[in-house]
Amino acid sequence: MELKTAGEWSLSSGVWELDMDRPGLELKRTALGYPVSSRLSREVLGALMQASALPRDGSLHFPPEFRFSPLSGEQLRGARPADKDEAWVAPHGAAPHTGQSGRVLAGLRQSARPLALARARRHDPEAEPDAALPLPPPGDYEFFSASFGSLDAVLLALDPRKGTLFGWVAGVDEWVELENGKPLLLSETALPRGAWRAELAHGFHSRLYLPTERGLACVTPDIAALVYEVDYAGDGPAVGAPVGFDGRVWAPCREAGKLVFIGVDPAGGAALRLALPAGIEPGEISAPVSQGRVAFWPCAGGQLRLHKQVSGEVLAAFLPWPAGIAPQFQFGSPYLALDGALWQICFDNASQQYTYLKLGTDGVEQAPASSPRLCSGSYTYRFSTRFTDEPWNDPEQGDDSTPSEVIVPLVESPATKSAIGLRIESHEALETLLASNEKLRAELVVDDASATTGFHTIAVAQPWRLRLFRHGGRLWAYHPLLKSIAGWDLA
């Protein structure tokens, strides 16, 4: 083979040059053209890029595309392959957006990745976690784990209400703020926490799709340079969160007083715009859900809906609730029934009782309920007992729920048929508990078909603000009022 001992190598992983201190190559510029950050050591960059190495000296790095050294001709040892399925998309671990129409359901509090704790039965609620990370700078964060200009997964912390983005890079062991690489900065969002979600298109340069006051933000972090690039779709603030639907990422924006749906093509095609008639005031907009040929954003006044017709055309509409109906978003996700229908818990002011309304349809179908239940998608909770049947049907033989205990589900793990949530002692009505700002003791639990197992305990105000995420083979738990991010090994 022809050997090369000088110059640079322009590759898909970036631009590499001869290391002047040792017989290897080092990354100089990223694939997006940015200089590599001086804060990242040779060893850190080698891990991020899954660099190849000489068998006799693993500290001599070469681009991951190389199988032989261009300096000596020796065969190189490749790094372990990156796990492309490891991506975690805030807030609940939805599957990354593929740009195809095949994703059946998105938007519920369900993780696409299994969340089975190692040694779960041996965990103790008062035991220390398996690992801990320091908190990012003060804020309220959402977390992503994916390849961001790297082959290894990187952990990002986003504060949506401040428009700040931090990266945790193994080997640096501190949160490093990413700067804007182009003139545009990342805008903040005005969406409440419960209405916020994001989409992620996974690849070597994974891209985030975020709702902001500037529009639907398309953010490309470049971790080796500690920068990000951002572009915006839409000419006004995103008033609802994005969701993947029909091969695009859609979000409602407000432009010149009108509601306009913006549909971004992850493959780089032109964005689509679907405007609603003037005068529609949906009120508070909750987190969206997409299912098959329908996507909808439950609102205080009704549903914003996208519907793909048999012709292939996508139509936008606003469907108001029946008179006197008020949705109750504080109880969690819409309920996913066994037949695949989605239902939103509401309060009927006329009958003074809770009721469930079927979503995504032109007609009105509702089912009165004797009491509200907390919901993560497929599971609902009455006090501390999990149910998988319709929440408007009371148990025939009663149930063994303890009225003094409540389980607040945080995320479902369909792969393990379990949920992770918080067990809280309370004698308050559910509505009163969720409105409380008092400091509460809460036990993190794994609830599956056989048992409810506690594995950690916290004491903070509004413990249900806890965010769970998966990164590096661990489940992590973040709350802005705790002193660190706790982690547990996953099976």
Side-chain angles (χ1 to χ4, degrees), residues 377-411:
S378 299
Y379 305 144
T380 64
Y381 280 82
R382 173 183 166 90
F383 300 118
S384 59
T385 299
R386 184 178 86 179
F387 294 90
T388 57
D389 59 351
E390 285 78 5
W392 48 86
N393 293 332
D394 290 331
E396 293 183 3
Q397 305 298 326
D399 61 66
D400 57 359
S401 300
T402 303
S404 62
E405 283 187 350
V406 174
I407 288 183
V408 181
L410 299 175
V411 64

Side-chain angles (χ1 to χ4, degrees), residues 115-116 120-121 379 381 384-388 400 407 413-420 445-453:
L115 299 177
R121 295 288 177 263
Y379 305 144
Y381 280 82
S384 59
T385 299
R386 184 178 86 179
F387 294 90
T388 57
D400 57 359
I407 288 183
S413 175
T416 55
K417 295 181 172 60
S418 64
I420 299 178
V445 297
V446 176
D447 186 21
D448 58 28
S450 60
T452 301
T453 306

Side-chain angles (χ1 to χ4, degrees), residues 84-100 102-114 144-146 197-202 207 209 242-245 248-249 290 411-412 414:
K84 291 296 183 184
D85 294 326
E86 186 68 19
W88 179 272
V89 186
H92 303 300
H97 184 69
T98 63
Q100 305 297 320
R103 190 166 61 171
V104 176
L105 178 67
L108 302 180
R109 299 184 181 186
Q110 295 179 330
S111 167
R113 298 285 291 162
F144 300 86
S145 176
R197 75 181 301 275
E199 287 283 356
L200 180 146
H202 200 199
R207 175 173 289 187
Y209 296 90
V243 70
F245 169 68
R248 292 176 177 267
V249 176
S290 69
V411 64
E412 288 181 20

Side-chain angles (χ1 to χ4, degrees), residues 89-164:
V89 186
H92 303 300
H97 184 69
T98 63
Q100 305 297 320
S101 302
R103 190 166 61 171
V104 176
L105 178 67
L108 302 180
R109 299 184 181 186
Q110 295 179 330
S111 167
R113 298 285 291 162
L115 299 177
L117 294 184
R119 308 177 301 279
R121 295 288 177 263
R122 289 183 286 172
H123 277 290
D124 183 275
E126 304 301 329
E128 292 297 315
D130 297 325
L133 290 174
L135 294 177
D140 195 355
Y141 290 90
E142 307 285 350
F143 294 86
F144 300 86
S145 176
S147 301
F148 295 106
S150 61
L151 290 176
D152 201 19
V154 173
L155 181 62
L156 294 185
L158 166 74
D159 189 334
R161 279 147 287 279
K162 294 180 181 177
T164 53

Side-chain angles (χ1 to χ4, degrees), residues 329-376:
F329 301 133
Q330 70 272 27
F331 296 125
S333 290
Y335 166 67
L336 177 64
L338 297 177
D339 64 359
L342 287 157
W343 298 76
Q344 174 64 51
I345 186 171
C346 301
F347 189 78
D348 187 340
N349 289 290
S351 63
Q352 288 294 294
Q353 69 178 129
Y354 288 98
T355 187
Y356 284 82
L357 262 71
K358 193 173 184 179
L359 294 172
T361 61
D362 292 322
V364 176
E365 187 175 345
Q366 62 186 88
S370 61
S371 61
R373 294 187 190 177
L374 294 168
C375 183
S376 53

Side-chain angles (χ1 to χ4, degrees), residues 55-114:
R56 56 182 170 80
D57 188 348
S59 66
L60 301 180
H61 294 155
F62 295 86
E65 296 90 341
F66 284 13
R67 295 295 173 261
F68 296 89
S69 168
L71 307 178
S72 65
E74 292 179 75
Q75 186 171 1
L76 301 174
R77 182 186 71 241
R80 63 173 177 81
D83 183 357
K84 291 296 183 184
D85 294 326
E86 186 68 19
W88 179 272
V89 186
H92 303 300
H97 184 69
T98 63
Q100 305 297 320
S101 302
R103 190 166 61 171
V104 176
L105 178 67
L108 302 180
R109 299 184 181 186
Q110 295 179 330
S111 167
R113 298 285 291 162

Side-chain angles (χ1 to χ4, degrees), residues 200-217:
L200 180 146
H202 200 199
F204 179 76
H205 279 111
S206 297
R207 175 173 289 187
L208 308 177
Y209 296 90
L210 310 172
T212 74
E213 287 296 280
R214 176 60 178 78
L216 177 58

